[in-house]
Amino acid sequence: MYASPLSSPSTVSMASDAQNNPFIRNLASSDKKVRDEAFDSLRAYLGSQSHIAELDLLKLWKGLFYCLWMQDKPALQQRLSRELASLVSTLREPVVLPFLRAFWLTIAREWIHIEALRLDKYLYLIRQYVNASFQFLSRNKWKRETLKEWNKIVEEVPLESKDMKIPNGLRYHVLDVWADELEKVGGVEFEKDQEKAKEIVEIMVQPVETLAKEGRLKVLRVAAKECLADQRLRAWRGQEDEVVDEPEEEDEEAEWGGIDD
């Protein structure tokens, strides 16, 4: 479970640790040569591992999170986010899902510390990681068991339906980019083989379906239903009938999700 990894030291101390770490500082460098050398070292290390312990992955992602934190130039922020997402393609298959899980746990844990001025670069990073995840699933031929394992991670963290320790803002953004990034990765393939598309997408939307039905807050259920109503998802699923809004029952729990988002 994710309860323990979501506890976090102060942002100030962690940012200070990152600034004092020469490797993390080099990854965030504005000097392309310095940054490229640091990334080459990181890729070489990650690509050589067939197993990395959860704690080590969480420590790594803490550093990578603050690597992006330290980068202030917009163009370099986006480049760094793309480079961080490219790490997924260098990993050996047994490491990919644990690496992605550590990413989501880190984003969920640190979300409350992200100030408004820094939010856009993390939203862009999240979009890149949704895309990188779909790329991994595509490279693995959308295998049913891999899709189910990916769903477990999604249901545990970014689209978890009831635990308010998971920031609502994270949930909303993942729902917002879901169909866009899936179309970029699988859209052409899905258009060519509608039967295959239906089988794949029916599995992939299960975490969204769960959130739409079981989300603790009405606003979360509505956001999930809006995602499911996207015409691209509906077409891939073979749903040609019009979307009918279902009446919402009154929430037993308060709708306000706190100030974490």
Side-chain angles (χ1 to χ4, degrees), residues 88-106:
V88 176
S89 65
T90 70
L91 301 173
R92 295 187 180 185
E93 187 171 341
V95 179
V96 174
L97 291 177
F99 183 81
L100 293 173
R101 180 175 178 270
F103 164 76
W104 290 115
L105 286 169
T106 301

Side-chain angles (χ1 to χ4, degrees), residues 175-238:
L175 291 170
D176 190 46
V177 304
W178 190 269
D180 289 345
E181 300 310 313
L182 186 56
E183 181 182 35
K184 291 175 186 177
V185 175
V188 173
E189 180 181 353
F190 295 164
E191 290 293 330
K192 292 180 179 178
D193 190 340
Q194 294 184 353
E195 287 300 316
K196 181 179 180 181
K198 183 176 180 180
E199 180 182 353
I200 293 168
V201 177
E202 283 297 333
I203 297 174
M204 294 190 69
V205 298
Q206 287 175 6
V208 186
E209 293 272 17
T210 299
L211 186 58
K213 294 175 183 177
E214 302 178 9
R216 180 173 174 181
L217 303 181
K218 180 178 179 180
V219 289
L220 293 177
R221 298 193 296 273
V222 169
K225 289 175 182 177
E226 289 176 350
C227 177
L228 293 170
D230 186 285
Q231 289 303 310
R232 293 163 295 184
L233 288 180
R234 291 179 57 76
W236 296 330
R237 300 175 75 186

Side-chain angles (χ1 to χ4, degrees), residues 22 41 47 76 82 90 98 115 151 155 164 166 215 221 250 259:
S41 296
L76 293 181
R82 291 191 296 269
T90 70
E115 305 113 326
N151 280 353
E155 290 178 333
M164 289 299 100
I166 303 298
R221 298 193 296 273
E250 292 295 325
I259 60 174

Side-chain angles (χ1 to χ4, degrees), residues 68-253:
L68 184 57
W69 179 284
M70 292 160 55
Q71 184 54 261
D72 294 325
K73 297 180 180 179
L76 293 181
Q77 291 169 5
Q78 292 195 0
R79 183 185 299 168
L80 178 56
S81 292
R82 291 191 296 269
E83 289 173 334
L84 290 174
S86 74
L87 293 173
V88 176
S89 65
T90 70
L91 301 173
R92 295 187 180 185
E93 187 171 341
V95 179
V96 174
L97 291 177
F99 183 81
L100 293 173
R101 180 175 178 270
F103 164 76
W104 290 115
L105 286 169
T106 301
I107 293 294
R109 182 190 64 216
E110 302 303 330
W111 185 274
I112 191 174
H113 304 306
I114 304 174
E115 305 113 326
L117 292 176
R118 285 189 166 98
L119 183 59
D120 282 351
K121 59 184 173 183
Y122 286 103
L123 295 180
Y124 186 77
L125 177 66
I126 290 166
R127 178 183 285 273
Q128 295 303 305
Y129 259 85
V130 172
N131 184 280
S133 299
F134 292 161
Q135 293 280 4
F136 164 70
L137 296 173
S138 175
R139 288 194 301 273
N140 279 268
K141 310 299 182 183
W142 308 101
K143 293 177 184 175
R144 179 182 292 268
E145 289 307 312
T146 307
L147 292 175
K148 290 181 177 179
E149 289 300 312
W150 160 246
N151 280 353
K152 288 180 183 179
I153 295 171
V154 175
E155 290 178 333
E156 179 189 4
V157 193
L159 295 185
E160 200 281 337
S161 61
K162 296 180 180 179
D163 190 344
M164 289 299 100
K165 290 180 181 177
I166 303 298
N168 287 334
L170 174 57
R171 292 181 173 107
Y172 297 145
H173 187 57
V174 171
L175 291 170
D176 190 46
V177 304
W178 190 269
D180 289 345
E181 300 310 313
L182 186 56
E183 181 182 35
K184 291 175 186 177
V185 175
V188 173
E189 180 181 353
F190 295 164
E191 290 293 330
K192 292 180 179 178
D193 190 340
Q194 294 184 353
E195 287 300 316
K196 181 179 180 181
K198 183 176 180 180
E199 180 182 353
I200 293 168
V201 177
E202 283 297 333
I203 297 174
M204 294 190 69
V205 298
Q206 287 175 6
V208 186
E209 293 272 17
T210 299
L211 186 58
K213 294 175 183 177
E214 302 178 9
R216 180 173 174 181
L217 303 181
K218 180 178 179 180
V219 289
L220 293 177
R221 298 193 296 273
V222 169
K225 289 175 182 177
E226 289 176 350
C227 177
L228 293 170
D230 186 285
Q231 289 303 310
R232 293 163 295 184
L233 288 180
R234 291 179 57 76
W236 296 330
R237 300 175 75 186
Q239 298 175 330
E240 299 179 357
D241 54 309
E242 293 185 6
V243 180
V244 179
D245 292 334
E246 298 179 3
E248 284 279 356
E249 298 179 0
E250 292 295 325
D251 288 331
E252 295 182 3
E253 300 287 343

